[in-house]
Amino acid sequence: MNKGILIVVSAPSGCGKGTILAEILKDERFYYSVSATTRAARPGEIDGINYHFLKKDQFEELIREDGVLEYAEYCGNYYGTPKEKVFEKINEGRNVILEIEVQGAMQIKEKYPEAVFVFVAPPSVSELKNRLEKRGTETAEVIARRVSEAAQEISYADRYDYVVVNAELDEAIADFKAVVRAEELKSENSRKIIDEVLKNA
Amino acid sequence: MNKGILIVVSAPSGCGKGTILAEILKDERFYYSVSATTRAARPGEIDGINYHFLKKDQFEELIREDGVLEYAEYCGNYYGTPKEKVFEKINEGRNVILEIEVQGAMQIKEKYPEAVFVFVAPPSVSELKNRLEKRGTETAEVIARRVSEAAQEISYADRYDYVVVNAELDEAIADFKAVVRAEELKSENSRKIIDEVLKNA
């Protein structure tokens, strides 16, 4: 059995990343890596589903033991990716999806350049603005900040391996699947297949 | 417009490469590069379709002018890939398919590592033998030679970027398409798309 692939996905908010990943995760060969945080659970959030909720000293021990793939401190709380589960699933042959912001992705790229980095982009920044306005859940001020953050994040897209533009949801899902399939077909991941083909030659 | 991709495809004979490529070439975004040769046209072969049939001095002038991507001499005749048309089509944004044997592919890899190298493999060498026997068009001796050549060619598969195993034709075609789509989505090929997304940000 071949190992699974570590897939790091970033996207500005409002790009439909969640919808794309929900579709991808219907396939059991994929595993969604749940982040850890030291912030308190909000009403309705479940430990192990939304986050692994850790105490500050637990998280700091993880950091000391090199037990996180990446982490950041934000508003006095830690956020990060526990390493153990990720590699356990990869060794079981599952493709592990890490949904993470740009800075965390760049940390992982330094340590694990063999991971696959996918950036999901909106068709345009102005379209992203339209989408956020249509939702009607945020103030004009929040939308303006999000759009400006998105533009900044998109400027990092060329440091990712692939850019999937979500103009049409179905196409974006198909593109995401094509990326993963192509990665599976890479010859360095096909060594066992080649040996199999050559058996009894 | 983005440039097209140069796709170099090799496969042992009997792997169904021709059938896969015929399907891929139904899509106008692909262009099939016709090889040049100095051997005489066989009955039914058409200049510009099966081969570009050249005189020996024409071919040697091409070589001198660095006008071939790769070439080889075989049974006293030259075989090779004229460069001009390939890059003309790539610049027009079309994906150019070069169907070529392993040695020629390795020559191209040295000069154009940015090309995409796809190896089409049979599910197994013994299955390849079965397929050739079922065709019933070749003697046992010819089949034995082909199988042994195939095994040798497959041992080069890990120098290609991707390995597509043709066990089920439909899956092999889908895999081939996934590889091309993923290459199109690579961030270095998406630079213009990223600029477009960021426009008016």
Side-chain angles (χ1 to χ4, degrees):
Chain A
M1 189 188 58
N2 278 315
K3 280 190 180 186
I5 298 165
L6 179 57
I7 305 162
V8 178
V9 187
S10 302
S13 92
C15 285
K17 176 183 57 174
T19 317
I20 295 171
L21 293 184
E23 189 60 34
I24 297 297
L25 288 160
K26 286 182 184 167
D27 183 339
E28 279 212 336
R29 294 176 307 143
F30 291 86
Y31 174 84
Y32 183 85
S33 163
V34 176
S35 299
T37 184
T38 55
R39 79 152 164 78
R42 292 177 190 149
E45 284 187 336
I46 300 165
D47 187 34
I49 299 284
N50 303 92
Y51 281 100
H52 296 292
F53 294 101
L54 302 181
K55 305 238 176 272
K56 197 169 181 191
D57 57 346
Q58 292 177 304
F59 204 113
E60 285 172 344
E61 207 188 317
L62 265 186
I63 296 170
R64 274 197 306 274
E65 290 172 341
D66 192 28
V68 286
L69 269 175
E70 55 75 41
Y71 75 99
E73 220 178 326
Y74 181 72
C75 298
N77 289 305
Y78 289 120
Y79 294 79
T81 306
K83 207 186 262 187
E84 195 182 346
K85 202 84 172 180
V86 167
F87 290 105
E88 180 191 314
K89 296 297 172 185
I90 284 174
N91 287 327
E92 287 172 9
R94 290 176 77 185
N95 297 325
V96 174
I97 291 187
L98 271 184
E99 193 185 346
I100 199 175
E101 42 63 61
V102 173
Q103 302 301 334
M106 294 302 106
Q107 279 186 50
I108 294 180
K109 198 176 177 185
E110 262 180 42
K111 287 201 234 170
Y112 301 94
E114 69 273 30
V116 178
F117 296 83
V118 182
F119 193 91
V120 179
S124 69
V125 172
S126 54
E127 172 60 24
L128 180 68
K129 189 160 173 265
N130 287 343
R131 287 185 192 174
L132 292 171
E133 282 169 352
K134 262 191 205 156
R135 272 195 203 169
T137 53
E138 275 113 5
T139 63
E141 195 192 354
V142 170
I143 290 176
R145 201 182 62 226
R146 287 216 169 167
V147 168
S148 131
E149 283 169 1
Q152 216 181 341
E153 282 164 37
I154 293 164
S155 68
Y156 279 85
D158 60 354
R159 307 210 195 162
Y160 286 67
D161 297 314
Y162 301 97
V163 178
V164 171
V165 174
N166 185 11
E168 289 293 333
L169 185 63
D170 288 349
E171 279 178 36
I173 291 167
D175 281 350
F176 197 99
K177 287 182 178 173
V179 162
V180 176
R181 185 62 186 144
E183 286 289 329
E184 289 174 341
L185 296 170
K186 277 199 170 167
S187 59
E188 64 257 36
N189 298 327
S190 303
R191 193 58 248 175
K192 282 184 188 167
I193 296 172
I194 297 170
D195 291 343
E196 196 61 31
V197 173
L198 281 172
K199 217 165 67 181
N200 308 322
Chain B
M1 189 187 56
N2 278 312
K3 279 189 181 187
I5 298 165
L6 178 57
I7 305 162
V8 177
V9 186
S10 302
S13 92
C15 285
K17 177 183 54 174
T19 318
I20 294 171
L21 292 185
E23 189 60 35
I24 297 297
L25 288 161
K26 285 181 185 168
D27 182 338
E28 280 213 337
R29 293 177 309 143
F30 291 87
Y31 174 84
Y32 183 84
S33 161
V34 177
S35 298
T37 184
T38 55
R39 79 151 164 77
R42 291 175 191 149
E45 285 187 336
I46 300 165
D47 187 34
I49 300 284
N50 303 92
Y51 281 100
H52 296 290
F53 293 102
L54 302 181
K55 304 235 176 276
K56 200 171 180 190
D57 57 347
Q58 291 178 304
F59 204 113
E60 285 172 345
E61 206 188 316
L62 266 187
I63 296 171
R64 273 196 308 274
E65 290 173 342
D66 192 28
V68 287
L69 269 174
E70 55 75 41
Y71 74 100
E73 219 178 327
Y74 181 71
C75 298
N77 289 307
Y78 288 120
Y79 294 80
T81 305
K83 206 185 261 187
E84 195 181 345
K85 200 85 172 179
V86 168
F87 290 105
E88 178 190 315
K89 296 297 172 184
I90 285 174
N91 287 328
E92 287 172 9
R94 290 176 78 184
N95 298 324
V96 173
I97 292 188
L98 271 185
E99 193 185 346
I100 200 175
E101 42 63 61
V102 173
Q103 303 302 334
M106 294 301 107
Q107 279 186 52
I108 294 180
K109 198 175 176 182
E110 262 179 44
K111 286 201 236 170
Y112 300 94
E114 69 272 31
V116 177
F117 296 82
V118 182
F119 193 91
V120 178
S124 70
V125 172
S126 55
E127 173 60 23
L128 180 68
K129 188 159 174 265
N130 287 344
R131 287 184 193 176
L132 291 171
E133 282 168 354
K134 261 190 208 158
R135 271 196 204 168
T137 52
E138 274 112 6
T139 63
E141 196 191 352
V142 170
I143 290 176
R145 200 181 63 225
R146 286 218 169 166
V147 168
S148 133
E149 283 169 1
Q152 217 182 340
E153 282 164 36
I154 294 164
S155 69
Y156 278 87
D158 61 354
R159 305 207 196 165
Y160 285 69
D161 297 314
Y162 300 97
V163 179
V164 170
V165 174
N166 185 10
E168 290 293 334
L169 185 63
D170 287 348
E171 279 178 35
I173 291 166
D175 281 350
F176 197 99
K177 287 181 179 174
V179 162
V180 176
R181 185 62 185 144
E183 286 289 331
E184 289 174 340
L185 296 170
K186 277 199 169 167
S187 59
E188 64 257 36
N189 298 327
S190 303
R191 192 59 247 175
K192 282 183 190 166
I193 296 171
I194 297 170
D195 291 342
E196 196 62 31
V197 172
L198 280 174
K199 216 164 66 180
N200 308 321

Short mmCIF file of all heavy atoms in Angstrom, two decimals, chain A residues 67-114:
data_model
loop_
_atom_site.label_atom_id
_atom_site.label_comp_id
_atom_site.label_asym_id
_atom_site.label_seq_id
_atom_site.Cartn_x
_atom_site.Cartn_y
_atom_site.Cartn_z
N GLY A 67 5.80 18.30 18.69
CA GLY A 67 4.58 17.54 18.41
C GLY A 67 3.56 18.29 17.55
O GLY A 67 2.46 17.79 17.34
N VAL A 68 3.93 19.50 17.10
CA VAL A 68 3.03 20.23 16.20
C VAL A 68 3.71 20.50 14.86
O VAL A 68 4.91 20.76 14.80
CB VAL A 68 2.55 21.58 16.80
CG1 VAL A 68 1.53 21.35 17.90
CG2 VAL A 68 3.73 22.41 17.30
N LEU A 69 2.92 20.37 13.79
CA LEU A 69 3.44 20.66 12.45
C LEU A 69 3.67 22.15 12.28
O LEU A 69 4.60 22.57 11.61
CB LEU A 69 2.42 20.21 11.39
CG LEU A 69 2.56 18.80 10.88
CD1 LEU A 69 1.40 18.47 9.95
CD2 LEU A 69 3.88 18.64 10.15
N GLU A 70 2.79 22.93 12.86
CA GLU A 70 2.91 24.38 12.82
C GLU A 70 2.03 24.91 13.93
O GLU A 70 1.11 24.23 14.38
CB GLU A 70 2.47 24.97 11.47
CG GLU A 70 1.07 24.58 11.02
CD GLU A 70 -0.06 25.29 11.76
OE1 GLU A 70 0.06 26.50 12.02
OE2 GLU A 70 -1.06 24.62 12.09
N TYR A 71 2.32 26.14 14.39
CA TYR A 71 1.41 26.77 15.34
C TYR A 71 1.58 28.27 15.28
O TYR A 71 2.56 28.77 14.72
CB TYR A 71 1.65 26.25 16.77
CG TYR A 71 2.89 26.79 17.42
CD1 TYR A 71 2.82 27.86 18.32
CD2 TYR A 71 4.14 26.23 17.15
CE1 TYR A 71 3.97 28.36 18.91
CE2 TYR A 71 5.28 26.72 17.74
CZ TYR A 71 5.20 27.79 18.62
OH TYR A 71 6.34 28.28 19.19
N ALA A 72 0.60 28.95 15.85
CA ALA A 72 0.67 30.41 15.92
C ALA A 72 -0.03 30.84 17.20
O ALA A 72 -0.85 30.10 17.76
CB ALA A 72 -0.01 31.03 14.70
N GLU A 73 0.31 32.04 17.67
CA GLU A 73 -0.37 32.60 18.81
C GLU A 73 -1.23 33.74 18.27
O GLU A 73 -0.78 34.54 17.44
CB GLU A 73 0.65 33.13 19.82
CG GLU A 73 0.24 32.83 21.25
CD GLU A 73 1.26 33.31 22.27
OE1 GLU A 73 2.47 33.25 21.96
OE2 GLU A 73 0.83 33.73 23.35
N TYR A 74 -2.48 33.78 18.71
CA TYR A 74 -3.40 34.78 18.18
C TYR A 74 -4.34 35.19 19.30
O TYR A 74 -5.00 34.32 19.91
CB TYR A 74 -4.17 34.17 16.99
CG TYR A 74 -5.15 35.09 16.33
CD1 TYR A 74 -4.72 36.17 15.54
CD2 TYR A 74 -6.52 34.89 16.47
CE1 TYR A 74 -5.62 37.01 14.93
CE2 TYR A 74 -7.44 35.73 15.86
CZ TYR A 74 -6.99 36.80 15.09
OH TYR A 74 -7.89 37.62 14.48
N CYS A 75 -4.36 36.47 19.62
CA CYS A 75 -5.17 36.99 20.74
C CYS A 75 -4.90 36.22 22.04
O CYS A 75 -5.85 35.89 22.78
CB CYS A 75 -6.66 36.93 20.41
SG CYS A 75 -7.12 37.94 19.02
N GLY A 76 -3.64 35.90 22.27
CA GLY A 76 -3.28 35.25 23.53
C GLY A 76 -3.56 33.76 23.58
O GLY A 76 -3.35 33.11 24.61
N ASN A 77 -4.04 33.18 22.47
CA ASN A 77 -4.29 31.73 22.44
C ASN A 77 -3.42 31.06 21.37
O ASN A 77 -3.09 31.67 20.35
CB ASN A 77 -5.76 31.43 22.13
CG ASN A 77 -6.66 31.78 23.29
OD1 ASN A 77 -6.46 31.32 24.41
ND2 ASN A 77 -7.63 32.66 23.02
N TYR A 78 -3.09 29.79 21.63
CA TYR A 78 -2.37 29.00 20.64
C TYR A 78 -3.35 28.33 19.68
O TYR A 78 -4.43 27.88 20.08
CB TYR A 78 -1.55 27.89 21.31
CG TYR A 78 -0.35 28.37 22.08
CD1 TYR A 78 -0.24 28.12 23.45
CD2 TYR A 78 0.70 29.04 21.45
CE1 TYR A 78 0.87 28.53 24.18
CE2 TYR A 78 1.82 29.44 22.16
CZ TYR A 78 1.90 29.18 23.52
OH TYR A 78 3.00 29.59 24.22
N TYR A 79 -2.92 28.22 18.43
CA TYR A 79 -3.63 27.44 17.42
C TYR A 79 -2.56 26.63 16.70
O TYR A 79 -1.50 27.18 16.37
CB TYR A 79 -4.32 28.33 16.39
CG TYR A 79 -5.45 29.15 16.95
CD1 TYR A 79 -5.19 30.32 17.65
CD2 TYR A 79 -6.77 28.76 16.78
CE1 TYR A 79 -6.22 31.08 18.18
CE2 TYR A 79 -7.81 29.52 17.31
CZ TYR A 79 -7.53 30.68 18.00
OH TYR A 79 -8.55 31.42 18.53
N GLY A 80 -2.82 25.35 16.43
CA GLY A 80 -1.79 24.58 15.72
C GLY A 80 -2.28 23.22 15.26
O GLY A 80 -3.44 22.84 15.49
N THR A 81 -1.37 22.50 14.62
CA THR A 81 -1.70 21.19 14.04
C THR A 81 -0.90 20.08 14.74
O THR A 81 0.32 20.00 14.55
CB THR A 81 -1.34 21.16 12.54
OG1 THR A 81 -1.99 22.25 11.89
CG2 THR A 81 -1.76 19.85 11.90
N PRO A 82 -1.57 19.27 15.56
CA PRO A 82 -0.85 18.16 16.21
C PRO A 82 -0.35 17.18 15.14
O PRO A 82 -1.05 16.88 14.19
CB PRO A 82 -1.92 17.50 17.08
CG PRO A 82 -3.03 18.51 17.19
CD PRO A 82 -2.99 19.28 15.92
N LYS A 83 0.88 16.75 15.30
CA LYS A 83 1.56 15.97 14.27
C LYS A 83 1.15 14.50 14.22
O LYS A 83 1.02 13.92 13.14
CB LYS A 83 3.06 16.04 14.62
CG LYS A 83 4.00 15.88 13.46
CD LYS A 83 5.42 15.82 13.97
CE LYS A 83 6.11 17.16 13.86
NZ LYS A 83 7.55 17.07 14.19
N GLU A 84 0.97 13.91 15.40
CA GLU A 84 0.88 12.45 15.50
C GLU A 84 -0.20 11.85 14.60
O GLU A 84 0.06 10.95 13.80
CB GLU A 84 0.60 12.07 16.96
CG GLU A 84 0.85 10.59 17.24
CD GLU A 84 0.52 10.24 18.70
OE1 GLU A 84 0.37 11.19 19.53
OE2 GLU A 84 0.40 9.05 19.00
N LYS A 85 -1.43 12.37 14.73
CA LYS A 85 -2.56 11.85 13.97
C LYS A 85 -2.33 11.97 12.46
O LYS A 85 -2.67 11.08 11.70
CB LYS A 85 -3.82 12.65 14.35
CG LYS A 85 -5.11 11.94 14.08
CD LYS A 85 -5.46 11.01 15.21
CE LYS A 85 -6.84 10.42 15.07
NZ LYS A 85 -7.13 9.54 16.20
N VAL A 86 -1.75 13.09 12.08
CA VAL A 86 -1.51 13.34 10.64
C VAL A 86 -0.68 12.21 10.04
O VAL A 86 -1.04 11.62 9.02
CB VAL A 86 -0.81 14.71 10.44
CG1 VAL A 86 -0.27 14.85 9.01
CG2 VAL A 86 -1.77 15.86 10.75
N PHE A 87 0.42 11.87 10.70
CA PHE A 87 1.31 10.86 10.12
C PHE A 87 0.77 9.45 10.31
O PHE A 87 1.02 8.57 9.48
CB PHE A 87 2.73 11.03 10.66
CG PHE A 87 3.36 12.28 10.11
CD1 PHE A 87 3.52 13.41 10.90
CD2 PHE A 87 3.73 12.34 8.77
CE1 PHE A 87 4.05 14.57 10.36
CE2 PHE A 87 4.27 13.50 8.23
CZ PHE A 87 4.43 14.62 9.03
N GLU A 88 0.00 9.26 11.36
CA GLU A 88 -0.68 7.96 11.55
C GLU A 88 -1.58 7.69 10.35
O GLU A 88 -1.55 6.61 9.74
CB GLU A 88 -1.49 8.02 12.85
CG GLU A 88 -2.25 6.76 13.19
CD GLU A 88 -3.23 7.04 14.36
OE1 GLU A 88 -2.79 7.67 15.35
OE2 GLU A 88 -4.41 6.65 14.24
N LYS A 89 -2.39 8.68 9.96
CA LYS A 89 -3.34 8.49 8.85
C LYS A 89 -2.61 8.36 7.51
O LYS A 89 -2.99 7.56 6.66
CB LYS A 89 -4.33 9.66 8.80
CG LYS A 89 -5.22 9.75 10.03
CD LYS A 89 -6.09 8.52 10.16
CE LYS A 89 -6.84 8.50 11.48
NZ LYS A 89 -7.60 7.23 11.67
N ILE A 90 -1.56 9.16 7.33
CA ILE A 90 -0.78 9.08 6.09
C ILE A 90 -0.18 7.68 5.94
O ILE A 90 -0.21 7.08 4.86
CB ILE A 90 0.30 10.17 6.06
CG1 ILE A 90 -0.35 11.51 5.74
CG2 ILE A 90 1.39 9.86 5.02
CD1 ILE A 90 0.57 12.69 5.83
N ASN A 91 0.33 7.15 7.05
CA ASN A 91 0.91 5.81 6.99
C ASN A 91 -0.13 4.73 6.73
O ASN A 91 0.19 3.66 6.22
CB ASN A 91 1.68 5.50 8.28
CG ASN A 91 2.98 6.29 8.34
OD1 ASN A 91 3.61 6.54 7.31
ND2 ASN A 91 3.37 6.70 9.54
N GLU A 92 -1.38 5.04 7.07
CA GLU A 92 -2.48 4.11 6.76
C GLU A 92 -2.92 4.24 5.30
O GLU A 92 -3.86 3.58 4.87
CB GLU A 92 -3.68 4.39 7.68
CG GLU A 92 -3.49 3.95 9.12
CD GLU A 92 -4.63 4.43 10.03
OE1 GLU A 92 -5.64 4.95 9.50
OE2 GLU A 92 -4.50 4.28 11.25
N GLY A 93 -2.30 5.16 4.56
CA GLY A 93 -2.63 5.31 3.14
C GLY A 93 -3.72 6.34 2.87
O GLY A 93 -4.20 6.44 1.75
N ARG A 94 -4.11 7.09 3.91
CA ARG A 94 -5.16 8.09 3.67
C ARG A 94 -4.55 9.46 3.34
O ARG A 94 -3.46 9.79 3.81
CB ARG A 94 -6.08 8.18 4.88
CG ARG A 94 -6.93 6.89 4.98
CD ARG A 94 -7.79 6.90 6.20
NE ARG A 94 -8.96 7.75 6.05
CZ ARG A 94 -9.82 7.98 7.05
NH1 ARG A 94 -9.62 7.45 8.24
NH2 ARG A 94 -10.87 8.75 6.84
N ASN A 95 -5.25 10.21 2.51
CA ASN A 95 -4.82 11.56 2.17
C ASN A 95 -5.33 12.51 3.25
O ASN A 95 -6.53 12.59 3.48
CB ASN A 95 -5.38 11.97 0.81
CG ASN A 95 -4.86 11.10 -0.31
OD1 ASN A 95 -3.70 10.65 -0.28
ND2 ASN A 95 -5.69 10.83 -1.30
N VAL A 96 -4.41 13.19 3.91
CA VAL A 96 -4.78 14.04 5.04
C VAL A 96 -4.90 15.49 4.58
O VAL A 96 -3.98 16.03 3.96
CB VAL A 96 -3.76 13.93 6.17
CG1 VAL A 96 -4.06 14.92 7.28
CG2 VAL A 96 -3.75 12.50 6.72
N ILE A 97 -6.05 16.08 4.86
CA ILE A 97 -6.29 17.47 4.48
C ILE A 97 -6.10 18.39 5.68
O ILE A 97 -6.73 18.20 6.73
CB ILE A 97 -7.69 17.64 3.89
CG1 ILE A 97 -7.74 16.92 2.53
CG2 ILE A 97 -8.05 19.13 3.74
CD1 ILE A 97 -9.00 17.14 1.75
N LEU A 98 -5.21 19.35 5.50
CA LEU A 98 -4.96 20.37 6.52
C LEU A 98 -5.50 21.68 5.99
O LEU A 98 -5.01 22.21 5.01
CB LEU A 98 -3.46 20.56 6.70
CG LEU A 98 -2.73 19.71 7.69
CD1 LEU A 98 -1.28 20.16 7.75
CD2 LEU A 98 -3.37 19.85 9.05
N GLU A 99 -6.51 22.21 6.67
CA GLU A 99 -7.07 23.50 6.27
C GLU A 99 -6.42 24.56 7.15
O GLU A 99 -6.56 24.51 8.37
CB GLU A 99 -8.59 23.43 6.52
CG GLU A 99 -9.38 24.52 5.90
CD GLU A 99 -10.84 24.42 6.32
OE1 GLU A 99 -11.25 23.36 6.86
OE2 GLU A 99 -11.55 25.42 6.16
N ILE A 100 -5.70 25.46 6.55
CA ILE A 100 -4.82 26.28 7.35
C ILE A 100 -4.55 27.61 6.66
O ILE A 100 -4.62 27.70 5.44
CB ILE A 100 -3.51 25.47 7.59
CG1 ILE A 100 -2.73 25.99 8.75
CG2 ILE A 100 -2.69 25.44 6.34
CD1 ILE A 100 -1.53 25.11 9.03
N GLU A 101 -4.25 28.67 7.45
CA GLU A 101 -4.01 29.96 6.79
C GLU A 101 -2.58 30.02 6.24
O GLU A 101 -1.76 29.14 6.49
CB GLU A 101 -4.38 31.15 7.68
CG GLU A 101 -3.97 31.05 9.11
CD GLU A 101 -2.49 30.99 9.28
OE1 GLU A 101 -1.83 31.95 8.86
OE2 GLU A 101 -1.98 29.98 9.82
N VAL A 102 -2.33 31.08 5.50
CA VAL A 102 -1.11 31.18 4.71
C VAL A 102 0.17 31.03 5.54
O VAL A 102 1.09 30.29 5.17
CB VAL A 102 -1.10 32.52 3.93
CG1 VAL A 102 0.23 32.74 3.24
CG2 VAL A 102 -2.24 32.56 2.92
N GLN A 103 0.24 31.72 6.69
CA GLN A 103 1.48 31.68 7.48
C GLN A 103 1.78 30.27 7.96
O GLN A 103 2.92 29.81 7.91
CB GLN A 103 1.38 32.63 8.69
CG GLN A 103 1.09 34.08 8.33
CD GLN A 103 2.15 34.68 7.42
OE1 GLN A 103 3.29 34.24 7.40
NE2 GLN A 103 1.75 35.68 6.64
N GLY A 104 0.74 29.57 8.42
CA GLY A 104 0.92 28.18 8.88
C GLY A 104 1.34 27.28 7.72
O GLY A 104 2.20 26.41 7.88
N ALA A 105 0.74 27.51 6.56
CA ALA A 105 1.09 26.70 5.39
C ALA A 105 2.56 26.89 5.05
O ALA A 105 3.27 25.92 4.74
CB ALA A 105 0.20 27.10 4.20
N MET A 106 3.04 28.12 5.13
CA MET A 106 4.45 28.38 4.81
C MET A 106 5.39 27.71 5.83
O MET A 106 6.46 27.23 5.48
CB MET A 106 4.72 29.89 4.72
CG MET A 106 4.00 30.59 3.55
SD MET A 106 4.41 29.91 1.90
CE MET A 106 2.93 29.00 1.47
N GLN A 107 4.95 27.66 7.11
CA GLN A 107 5.73 26.92 8.11
C GLN A 107 5.85 25.44 7.73
O GLN A 107 6.91 24.83 7.84
CB GLN A 107 5.05 26.99 9.49
CG GLN A 107 5.29 28.25 10.28
CD GLN A 107 4.67 28.12 11.69
OE1 GLN A 107 4.91 27.14 12.41
NE2 GLN A 107 3.86 29.08 12.07
N ILE A 108 4.73 24.87 7.30
CA ILE A 108 4.73 23.45 6.94
C ILE A 108 5.59 23.22 5.70
O ILE A 108 6.32 22.24 5.61
CB ILE A 108 3.29 22.95 6.71
CG1 ILE A 108 2.54 23.00 8.05
CG2 ILE A 108 3.28 21.52 6.15
CD1 ILE A 108 1.12 22.54 7.97
N LYS A 109 5.53 24.16 4.78
CA LYS A 109 6.30 24.00 3.53
C LYS A 109 7.79 23.92 3.81
O LYS A 109 8.52 23.19 3.16
CB LYS A 109 6.01 25.17 2.59
CG LYS A 109 6.41 24.84 1.17
CD LYS A 109 6.05 25.92 0.19
CE LYS A 109 6.56 25.53 -1.19
NZ LYS A 109 6.35 26.58 -2.17
N GLU A 110 8.25 24.67 4.82
CA GLU A 110 9.66 24.61 5.16
C GLU A 110 10.06 23.25 5.71
O GLU A 110 11.11 22.72 5.40
CB GLU A 110 10.00 25.69 6.19
CG GLU A 110 10.59 26.90 5.52
CD GLU A 110 10.92 27.98 6.52
OE1 GLU A 110 11.46 27.67 7.60
OE2 GLU A 110 10.61 29.14 6.22
N LYS A 111 9.17 22.69 6.56
CA LYS A 111 9.50 21.41 7.20
C LYS A 111 9.16 20.22 6.32
O LYS A 111 9.84 19.20 6.37
CB LYS A 111 8.73 21.28 8.53
CG LYS A 111 9.25 22.19 9.62
CD LYS A 111 8.81 21.66 10.98
CE LYS A 111 8.09 22.73 11.76
NZ LYS A 111 7.44 22.23 12.97
N TYR A 112 8.08 20.32 5.54
CA TYR A 112 7.60 19.18 4.75
C TYR A 112 7.32 19.60 3.31
O TYR A 112 6.16 19.63 2.89
CB TYR A 112 6.35 18.57 5.38
CG TYR A 112 6.59 18.09 6.77
CD1 TYR A 112 6.32 18.91 7.86
CD2 TYR A 112 7.16 16.83 7.00
CE1 TYR A 112 6.59 18.48 9.15
CE2 TYR A 112 7.44 16.41 8.28
CZ TYR A 112 7.15 17.24 9.35
OH TYR A 112 7.43 16.82 10.62
N PRO A 113 8.38 19.91 2.58
CA PRO A 113 8.16 20.36 1.19
C PRO A 113 7.46 19.29 0.34
O PRO A 113 6.92 19.61 -0.71
CB PRO A 113 9.57 20.65 0.68
CG PRO A 113 10.49 19.94 1.60
CD PRO A 113 9.81 19.85 2.92
N GLU A 114 7.46 18.04 0.79
CA GLU A 114 6.81 16.98 0.02
C GLU A 114 5.28 17.01 0.16
O GLU A 114 4.59 16.29 -0.57
CB GLU A 114 7.36 15.59 0.39
CG GLU A 114 7.00 15.09 1.79
CD GLU A 114 7.99 15.57 2.86
OE1 GLU A 114 8.58 16.67 2.69
OE2 GLU A 114 8.15 14.85 3.87
#
